[in-house]
Each structure stands twice: as C-alpha cells, then as structure tokens.
Amino acid sequence: MYQSKIAGLGSYVPENVVTNDDLAKIMDTNDEWIQERTGIKERRHIKKGDGNTTATMGVKAAKIAIERAGISKDDIELIVFATLSPDYYFPGCGVQVQEMLDINTCPALDVRNQCSGFVYALSVADQYIKTGMYKNVLVIGSENHSGGLDMTTRGRSVSVIFGDGAGAAVLSRSDHNGQGILSTHLHSEGKHALELSLKGPSTNHWVPEIIAENPQGDDIPYYPHMNGQFVFKNAVVRFSEVINEGLQANGLEVKDIDMLIPHQANLRISQFIQQKFKLSDEQVFNNIQKYGNTTAASIPIALTEAWEKGKIKEEDVVVLAAFGSGFTWASAIISW
C-alpha cells in the first residue's frame, strides 16, 4: 500500500462581501442576532454576471493547488468534485473541471455528501492512491449557495448562515511512509435525512425564478430546511465521536493534535468541540466569521488559509472533521 499526501492547496471566494448589516436591509435580522447564534460577521456571494459558478470557482481554486503542488495539470489522473450545488443536475461538475482545465480524458466523479463532502472526497482520492491506481488526484469542494436561498425574513434562520466559495487539494503519492493521510473515517445515519434537506432544484435556474413562475405559499420545498437545534445536538456528539475514532485508530491522543479544522457550520459548534477537547485557540482554526458556511468548500478553504498563515507545519498532526446533511459525518487524520 502506498501513502498519499496533500501536495498542494488552493481556495477561491467571490469578491462580493455581504455583511450582516447588508442582510438586515432585506430581512428582519441584525448583526447582533446573527453573530450570537452563528458567529458569522460576513460571507461572500456570487453576483449575477460575475462569471462565477460552482464549477468555475472550483477551477480557480484547483489552478492554485496544482501550481503549489509543483505538477502540471496533465499530471492529474482523477478529479473528485464535492458539492451540493452543481451547475447542472447532470452532468456533474467534475467533467466541467476536466474540460476547463483541458486535462486529457481523465476520470471525473462527483461526491454528494454536503457538509461532509470534502472529507468523503478526500477519502476516495486517498484509497485510489493507496492502492496504486493513481499518483495525483485533484479534490475540489465548491458551493454556490446564494442563488438558492430564501433571502426574506421567512428564510432568515437558514439564509444568514451560508456563503459561496471553493477549495481544492492535490493528493499525491508520497515516498515517506507515515507522512500524509493516516486514515479516514466515514459514517451516515439516514433516518435523520429530512432534518437538514432541500427537496426541490439547479443553480442556473434557481429558486427566485421558479417562485416567480409558480407562486406558492410558505411551504416551499425548493428552499433549504434545517431543524437547527436538532442538528446542533447531533453535530456535537458525532464530531466528538469521529475525532476520537480517528485518534484511536492511529494510537494518538487529544494532546497530539496540532491543528483541528472542523467543518465551518456554526462557530458555536466549533467552540463547543474545542472546549470539550480542551484545545487552545492555536489548535483550532475557524474562518466562518468571514465566509459563512460554505458546506463542501468550508474545510478546504479553512485548510488552505491555515496553511497560508503558517499555522500548519511539517509533521504536525492535522485533524479534519465534518458533520452535516444525511446525516453524514467524517474525519481525516493527517501527518503533515
């Protein structure tokens, strides 16, 4: 079995900054209310006509990751794209990335595991490298939430949380045994699927247009639904379990964690986990304050930013953990 390592990281967020005060102009909310419940101060939203889509943002992040990995786009042998907001129902964004990057007919697959999507995608890439099938795999998490949110008072409990953006990682075969991705751990519990869900449609013809064409009442299945308190209670339990599972699988203890990067769902969840594990501020990285919840993009954006700031160093033990719709949850233990 081979070892896989993260050879390059990249991220991209739209230029358009949407503050809590901006949202207060279009719905009954305020900065204090949003920060108290989520920790979010601002987020990035795609502007109509700015050229950004889920796929194009993924490409922008991927180009940075490929350059930092020191390889050519022609060295990419597989693309794994995680998103809940693809440009089309089908085909998936993976093949769009292959075409936009002009990579020669490499396989491309899409992962639909929402908030856990990037860690699931990372796990898929890791297995392909460990078994020797591929040497370089491009993993992307990208989301365009803004086009499908209910930006009225009716939808404020969900809509204030989400932002747009993309993150990418190049996984490469490593010659250093024991350095790289040590293990990944994946779970699901489908009986809670509808507690965090979106039953209806694509970001190219999204909710506002559909509502205008087919006016409906308050029960609109095209907008995201979230049972916030129930999700929170499950999240803090599953985060803890899957982090401990990963540590135990590698003979590690909490004190060995150099950097924990949780999915940026809610700052209160991250703070709860930090306190439970008695980790210092230097051991946990959060950037939801600036970007909101970017679902499958949140971990690669945060991982990239933490690395760029010098908070992750060689041989550090890095833990990635996520929980979200499905319910699904996952962790990855990495020796940097």
Side-chain angles (χ1 to χ4, degrees):
M1 296 286 284
Y2 296 97
Q3 192 84 34
S4 69
K5 67 176 182 179
I6 295 178
L9 291 166
S11 66
Y12 173 83
V13 292
E15 294 182 3
N16 181 38
V17 177
V18 179
T19 67
N20 293 341
D21 290 335
D22 291 331
L23 294 180
K25 297 173 184 176
I26 58 174
M27 63 180 71
D28 184 11
T29 191
N30 59 68
D31 178 65
E32 183 181 5
W33 189 91
I34 296 171
Q35 286 203 52
E36 180 182 338
R37 287 160 178 77
T38 69
I40 299 168
K41 299 178 181 178
E42 60 187 42
R43 71 287 293 146
R44 303 297 181 94
H45 283 177
I46 289 172
K47 267 191 171 182
K48 288 281 188 181
D50 69 2
N52 284 314
T53 71
T54 299
T56 61
M57 290 191 298
V59 167
K60 291 172 183 177
K63 286 180 177 179
I64 298 170
I66 291 169
E67 181 180 355
R68 288 174 171 173
I71 64 173
S72 161
K73 51 96 175 172
D74 295 317
D75 294 319
I76 298 297
E77 297 167 290
L78 168 67
I79 298 166
V80 186
F81 199 114
T83 187
L84 66 73
S85 53
D87 290 2
Y88 314 115
Y89 274 120
F90 63 86
C93 291
V95 297
Q96 292 179 268
V97 170
Q98 178 271 327
E99 189 273 333
M100 291 178 193
L101 289 178
D102 191 28
I103 298 173
N104 183 38
T105 67
C106 80
L109 61 88
D110 289 57
V111 172
R112 293 293 301 277
N113 282 85
Q114 294 68 248
C115 301
S116 302
F118 183 79
V119 182
Y120 265 74
L122 199 71
S123 179
V124 171
D126 180 45
Q127 303 310 311
Y128 274 114
I129 291 175
K130 281 182 173 175
T131 57
M133 190 164 184
Y134 300 121
K135 291 183 179 179
N136 298 295
V137 180
L138 174 62
V139 183
I140 299 171
S142 181
E143 303 288 4
N144 169 12
H145 289 304
S146 60
L149 297 173
D150 184 356
M151 303 302 285
T152 69
T153 298
R154 176 183 55 197
R156 65 179 176 177
S157 62
V158 173
S159 298
V160 300
I161 297 171
F162 292 97
D164 304 335
V170 172
L171 262 66
S172 298
R173 186 184 297 178
S174 172
D175 296 326
H176 302 286
N177 193 29
Q179 184 181 34
I181 297 177
L182 303 181
S183 64
T184 55
H185 308 269
L186 314 177
H187 297 275
S188 73
E189 191 175 24
K191 69 180 181 180
H192 300 310
L194 297 184
E195 301 295 345
L196 179 51
S197 61
L198 192 156
K199 297 179 183 178
S202 109
T203 53
N204 283 341
H205 185 70
W206 200 237
V207 179
E209 291 90 348
I210 293 168
I211 298 301
E213 294 163 6
N214 302 287
Q216 301 182 51
D218 290 338
D219 185 19
I220 301 175
Y222 303 122
Y223 285 131
H225 164 76
M226 179 171 65
N227 183 347
Q229 290 187 340
F230 188 78
V231 171
F232 188 101
K233 290 176 181 177
N234 278 265
V236 294
V237 172
R238 297 308 192 184
F239 262 112
S240 300
E241 289 178 351
V242 82
I243 291 169
N244 280 322
E245 179 184 3
L247 293 175
Q248 291 168 10
N250 293 283
L252 299 170
E253 300 178 13
V254 172
K255 65 179 177 62
D256 297 315
I257 298 174
D258 294 298
M259 179 58 67
L260 168 64
I261 298 185
H263 161 55
Q264 304 293 293
N266 186 312
L267 186 60
R268 306 308 165 217
I269 294 176
S270 297
Q271 290 171 334
F272 185 95
I273 298 303
Q274 179 178 342
Q275 292 168 4
K276 183 171 183 177
F277 282 92
K278 299 180 180 178
L279 298 171
S280 70
D281 290 344
E282 291 302 309
Q283 291 173 284
V284 183
F285 188 82
N286 291 297
N287 61 5
I288 190 173
Q289 303 94 321
K290 296 190 297 181
Y291 304 125
N293 179 347
T294 55
T295 308
S298 80
I299 285 180
I301 290 173
L303 182 61
T304 300
E305 192 167 295
W307 176 79
E308 289 172 343
K309 291 178 178 292
K311 294 181 177 293
I312 298 175
K313 303 175 293 296
E314 191 170 348
E315 298 186 357
D316 276 358
V317 173
V318 178
V319 177
L320 312 179
F323 174 91
S325 175
F327 288 148
T328 64
W329 59 101
S331 67
I333 312 298
I334 304 168
S335 176
W336 205 259

